[in-house]
Amino acid sequence: MSLSESSHIPPLGATIHQLKIKPIFDALENREKFYAHYLARAAWHGSRIIMRQVSSESPNIFDFIIGLYHACDGKRDTLVAQCNIASEELASFLEYAAMFLCNLGNFYGEGNQKFVPGVTAETPRKIANISPETKAGMDKIINPLLAVPPFSLGCPSKTAQSGCYPSDEPITRDEITKVSEVMNMKSIGPENNRIRKVVKNGKPVLQLLQASRKLAKEYAGNDKQTQFLTHYIECFRTGSLDAFQESQKAWVTDVSARVDKILGFNEPYRDPAGIRSVWEAMIGIADADEIKRLKNFVDSSTTLIRQPPWAVKGVNDGKGPFEKGLLEAPDFTSVHG
């Protein structure tokens, strides 16, 4: 293994945390449970959008990891004997699998550097022999699984790649700019599209999202949630960013919701041009006890704001020269997702 490859191996011993939400979920009313459930399904269906945006091989790597889990019935330790590999080789590959699932792709979510398994090509091929399905899956991914370069996500080149521009023929920054200019002239937003010399995205996945959204809509708790979901479904059905913006207008007015959500193409930080957005999804359930404590904190804000060293008596009603004349206390909500 070369030096460049070894620098892209995930470190061993990464801590894995379990997100516990059952007590908070159990405290919801039945309607709220269904609402949260179907929103969570919509969020999870969008995970394949994330993987496609990371790299073309990521969905197949994901399928292999899940297929391997089912092939050994979740008993990963048995793979050492069944596949004739060393325990250290298994540990290294499982570390890679955990890192992949954490990032939903084979590039880090922070920094966009590619990571590869710390094993030779022989090890994953041995592991894949556990079933015909995993063997076929490994044949699809073995080359991009281990390939370095690309070193990172970025403008397509010999050393970088981008899911925003998935094409065998590299696209230049000038071409990206020209496409953006045409789209702007026609009032087409760039956030939820990709350029492959032809704009394309994952229609089957969005159809699954629409189905889950429609089921969630049946359990909406108020008109604002219904409006939000109606506009969202329209956005996923047609690709209209106007519908998405209308959904966000409804979302911000649904204050102190028991079940909150963020879904859509929101942040452009992975696009080298800084305009095409990645899919994000988070469904959160409000923790009543934590919100109560936060409310007590907010209720004390008029007292606390007069305690910093710059809070001078007789200046700005005791708040000092650096604070606003009118304190606008925030509406805090603590959610678990």
Side-chain angles (χ1 to χ4, degrees), residues 315-333:
V315 178
N316 192 16
D317 194 24
K319 296 190 289 289
F322 304 120
E323 300 292 346
K324 291 182 178 180
L326 177 64
L327 171 64
E328 298 177 357
D331 175 36
F332 279 120
T333 299

Side-chain angles (χ1 to χ4, degrees), residues 26-142:
D26 289 343
L28 294 175
E29 298 174 3
N30 281 339
R31 178 197 58 77
E32 293 172 326
K33 289 179 179 178
F34 280 108
Y35 184 62
H37 167 72
Y38 287 116
L39 285 177
R41 282 178 60 88
W44 177 243
H45 288 322
S47 63
R48 284 195 177 270
I49 298 177
I50 297 174
M51 287 184 273
R52 289 178 185 177
Q53 291 177 310
V54 172
S55 67
S56 59
E57 65 269 15
S58 284
N60 288 331
I61 296 175
F62 175 83
D63 290 339
F64 175 80
I65 292 172
I66 300 302
L68 181 65
Y69 174 84
H70 290 298
C72 68
D73 198 25
K75 300 173 183 177
R76 295 166 296 188
D77 292 342
T78 63
L79 293 172
V80 172
Q82 291 188 68
C83 303
N84 190 28
I85 58 175
S87 58
E88 293 79 9
E89 291 177 299
L90 176 62
S92 185
F93 186 81
L94 292 179
E95 196 79 37
Y96 170 85
M99 192 64 69
F100 178 96
L101 295 175
C102 176
N103 289 276
L104 282 180
N106 56 340
F107 289 74
Y108 290 111
E110 296 184 6
N112 292 331
Q113 183 184 24
K114 185 175 183 179
F115 55 91
V116 298
V119 294
T120 64
E122 183 181 9
T123 299
R125 286 198 179 280
K126 285 183 176 180
I127 294 174
N129 285 331
I130 192 171
S131 76
E133 291 77 16
T134 52
K135 186 177 186 302
M138 181 54 63
D139 290 339
K140 296 179 183 178
I141 64 174
I142 186 63

Side-chain angles (χ1 to χ4, degrees), residues 99 158 204 225 252 279 285 297 313:
M99 192 64 69
K158 293 181 179 179
Q225 292 177 359
V252 297
W279 172 265
I285 299 176
F297 177 70
K313 289 184 179 181

Side-chain angles (χ1 to χ4, degrees), residues 233-301:
I233 292 169
E234 176 69 10
C235 173
F236 292 144
R237 188 179 66 83
T238 65
S240 168
L241 286 178
D242 289 337
F244 177 77
Q245 291 165 2
E246 290 300 317
S247 75
Q248 300 307 287
K249 292 177 184 178
W251 173 66
V252 297
T253 60
D254 188 21
V255 180
S256 300
R258 291 285 300 277
V259 179
D260 208 349
K261 59 275 174 186
I262 298 173
L263 293 101
F265 299 92
N266 295 308
E267 301 292 343
Y269 55 83
R270 269 188 156 167
D271 177 12
I275 52 177
R276 286 172 175 79
S277 299
V278 296
W279 172 265
E280 290 184 328
M282 189 282 292
I283 310 303
I285 299 176
D287 186 320
D289 291 336
E290 291 183 5
I291 291 174
K292 184 178 180 180
R293 289 194 288 270
L294 286 171
K295 186 178 185 301
N296 291 336
F297 177 70
V298 172
D299 291 342
S300 303
S301 57

